[in-house]
């Protein structure tokens, strides 16, 4: 553990833990993860194709972010390499309300070896949300 940072926003705190492998952030006391990134930003050799990476990312999303998956449209993009070996895949979950794309999204990066390299869970406005879904103190 390299360190922990707290940023208070009213009654809530954004906690970020830094380790020798990367960092992870989340809201307390909500127990809501918001982002994690590995310091190792290159995909290790593996043989997962696009559909297998989709399965790995979907299983991760359902386990850790079920509220962000329900009612969302999922896309999978290959961001490094075309298939296998050192390919990186990004799964993106986005919601549409009344035909409009909502700003909230969930992105998960999966390596060709099946490692979750990182994720970002950006909150956004929900229908009738008084603060437009933004975290307190964020524009």
């Amino acid at each position: 553990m390299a360190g922990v940072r707290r940023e208070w926003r009213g009654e809530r705190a954004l906690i970020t833990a830094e380790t020798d492998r990367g960092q992870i952030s989340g809201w307390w006391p909500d127990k809501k993860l918001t982002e994690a990134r590995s310091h190792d930003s290159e995909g290790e050799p593996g043989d997962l194709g696009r559909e297998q990476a989709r399965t790995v990312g979907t299983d991760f999303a359902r386990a850790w972010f079920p509220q962000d998956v329900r009612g969302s449209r999922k896309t999978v993009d290959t961001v490094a390499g075309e298939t296998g070996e050192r390919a990186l895949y990004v799964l993106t979950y986005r919601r549409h309300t009344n035909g409009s794309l909502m700003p909230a999204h969930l992105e998960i990066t999966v390596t060709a070896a099946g490692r979750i390299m990182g994720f970002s869970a950006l909150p956004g406005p929900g229908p009738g949300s008084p603060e437009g879904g933004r975290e307190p103190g964020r524009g």
Side-chain angles (χ1 to χ4, degrees):
M1 182 69 80
V4 176
R5 191 173 62 246
R6 285 180 299 192
E7 298 174 37
W8 286 97
R9 310 244 171 91
E11 298 291 315
R12 303 165 64 218
L14 180 62
I15 308 292
T16 302
E18 183 78 36
T19 73
D20 60 343
R21 292 184 163 196
Q23 70 177 38
I24 187 164
S25 298
W27 287 101
W28 183 261
D30 306 31
K31 298 180 186 174
K32 169 86 169 118
L33 294 174
T34 59
E35 184 174 29
R37 290 283 166 238
S38 172
H39 289 314
D40 178 4
S41 61
E42 290 188 27
E44 58 279 350
D47 58 1
L48 262 64
R50 184 185 189 97
E51 290 309 309
Q52 293 166 312
R54 177 191 303 262
T55 300
V56 169
T58 298
D59 290 348
F60 178 82
R62 286 181 180 154
W64 291 97
F65 301 97
Q67 70 284 358
D68 296 320
V69 172
R70 281 189 295 275
S72 295
R73 295 182 190 167
K74 175 176 49 180
T75 60
V76 180
D77 295 307
T78 306
V79 294
E82 279 304 309
T83 58
E85 198 48 30
R86 292 189 180 271
L88 296 176
Y89 304 94
V90 176
L91 283 75
T92 304
Y93 291 84
R94 298 292 303 260
R95 281 201 179 97
H96 291 75
T97 301
N98 298 326
S100 297
L101 181 64
M102 304 304 285
H105 72 273
L106 170 63
E107 288 185 355
I108 302 167
T109 304
V110 181
T111 70
R115 176 173 61 98
I116 302 295
M117 181 183 287
F119 65 84
S120 174
L122 178 67
S129 174
E131 287 191 35
R134 292 173 296 208
E135 297 298 344
R138 290 192 175 189

